[in-house]
Amino acid sequence: MKLYISVDMEGITGMPDYTYVLANEHNYERARKIMTEETNYVIDAAHQFGCKEILVNDSHSKMNNLLIDHLHEEAALITGDVKPFSMVQGLDETYDAAMFIGYHSRAGKPGVMSHSMIHAVRNFFINDHAIGEMGFNAYFAGYFGVPLVLVSGDEQTAAEANELIPGIATAVVKESISRSAAKSLTPKKAGVLLAGKVKEALENRANIQPLEPPINPELKIEFNNYGQAEWAHLMPGTEIIPGTTTVRFQAKDILEAYRAMLVMIELALQTKFS
């Protein structure tokens, strides 16, 4: 069995705020160790279940957070950027299941450090369906027929996952008090929870349907201000919807939509005054 694991950072155990997830902040090095240990619990449980090929994709910020010298030896790691498919780099039709570890809720929703890729984004839409990183990545997996069987993070992340994919296993490692405060399990207790949820998810994988994306999807990104929309609109094939800060792009498939999203948000980051 082949397993794909995308690991973000905001939803990892014990991380309540930006001081843990930004590389220049004082809690970041501690957070990298916790993130790596949490990933190892998932890898170990999957390997014990019978997964013979496990690919981990570091999916946070510059995507070089996981400590490969401390990573479980049974996994391969994709690290660094630029990656053509970012948080789902390396995922294809050869995988039997996918897991998203350390994820968070989408922009504008409750949850610890909730956002959608960058803080300039208010909403992503695929055919008018509002989604966040989790939804976009699940659509990507679904394009290849790969079911998303487990998501971990806070309780808001779990609720979002359950709305997207009925029957999915979720591991709630912390509860949000606010966007920058949480009641968290300890890493060891979270590891026990995750190990059990990995087994549950893999046992139930045949009952989870891939999140199939629409054919010829329309991507819309609602930005926080018009300057960000103007920068994103520099990408050929886009248009700004009149009277809004939303940029629209008609894609041939979800892969093109995903690449378009990455280009548009990188352009939007050029806005210097918000």
Side-chain angles (χ1 to χ4, degrees), residues 229-249:
E230 287 176 324
W231 270 103
H233 178 43
L234 292 178
M235 191 184 86
T238 62
E239 64 172 323
I240 300 176
I241 298 174
T244 74
T245 59
T246 300
V247 182
R248 176 166 49 201
F249 177 78

Side-chain angles (χ1 to χ4, degrees), residues 23-42:
N24 60 342
E25 293 291 339
H26 64 284
N27 281 317
Y28 173 71
E29 289 303 323
R30 289 176 55 215
R32 296 181 75 189
K33 294 176 182 177
I34 297 169
M35 180 187 187
T36 304
E37 289 169 359
E38 191 145 305
T39 303
N40 283 342
Y41 281 113
V42 175

Side-chain angles (χ1 to χ4, degrees), residues 17-248:
D17 61 34
Y18 71 95
T19 65
Y20 289 79
V21 301
L22 298 182
N24 60 342
E25 293 291 339
H26 64 284
N27 281 317
Y28 173 71
E29 289 303 323
R30 289 176 55 215
R32 296 181 75 189
K33 294 176 182 177
I34 297 169
M35 180 187 187
T36 304
E37 289 169 359
E38 191 145 305
T39 303
N40 283 342
Y41 281 113
V42 175
I43 296 167
D44 188 63
H47 180 65
Q48 289 190 39
F49 186 86
C51 294
K52 299 303 181 185
E53 188 171 339
I54 302 169
L55 179 63
V56 174
N57 183 33
D58 192 326
S59 298
H60 175 72
S61 189
K62 293 302 181 182
M63 303 188 177
N64 56 5
N65 313 278
L66 288 166
L67 302 169
I68 193 168
D69 46 331
H70 295 286
L71 195 68
H72 197 295
E73 63 185 6
E74 294 299 332
L77 175 66
I78 296 178
T79 183
D81 75 352
V82 176
K83 296 187 286 194
F85 290 110
S86 188
M87 299 180 75
V88 282
Q89 184 66 38
L91 177 56
D92 61 26
E93 67 278 356
T94 66
Y95 286 87
D96 298 293
M99 297 181 179
F100 295 167
I101 303 302
Y103 270 54
H104 52 81
S105 52
R106 64 185 178 88
K109 294 296 183 179
V112 177
M113 293 183 274
S114 60
H115 67 281
S116 296
M117 297 299 283
I118 63 172
H119 295 302
V121 170
R122 187 174 296 167
N123 278 300
F124 291 140
F125 298 94
I126 294 293
N127 288 5
D128 293 321
H129 178 212
I131 57 171
E133 295 170 27
M134 184 198 311
F136 221 142
N137 294 343
Y139 270 143
F140 187 97
Y143 175 86
F144 292 109
V146 179
L148 174 61
V149 298
L150 173 63
V151 169
S152 75
D154 68 12
E155 85 289 356
Q156 299 295 332
T157 309
E160 187 174 320
N162 284 312
E163 287 181 11
L164 284 167
I165 302 169
I168 190 172
T170 57
V172 177
V173 299
K174 58 190 172 188
E175 297 176 9
S176 60
I177 295 171
S178 69
R179 193 170 175 275
S180 57
K183 177 184 176 183
S184 180
L185 299 178
T186 61
K188 286 186 179 180
K189 192 71 175 284
V192 173
L193 172 66
L194 280 161
K197 289 293 184 176
V198 167
K199 183 175 184 293
E200 174 189 325
L202 292 174
E203 286 177 339
N204 190 49
R205 71 189 184 282
N207 298 318
I208 304 297
Q209 295 299 312
L211 186 64
E212 186 175 347
I215 299 171
N216 304 128
E218 180 188 65
L219 167 66
K220 291 189 292 188
I221 303 180
E222 182 184 10
F223 291 97
N224 287 324
N225 67 56
Y226 199 79
Q228 293 155 350
E230 287 176 324
W231 270 103
H233 178 43
L234 292 178
M235 191 184 86
T238 62
E239 64 172 323
I240 300 176
I241 298 174
T244 74
T245 59
T246 300
V247 182
R248 176 166 49 201

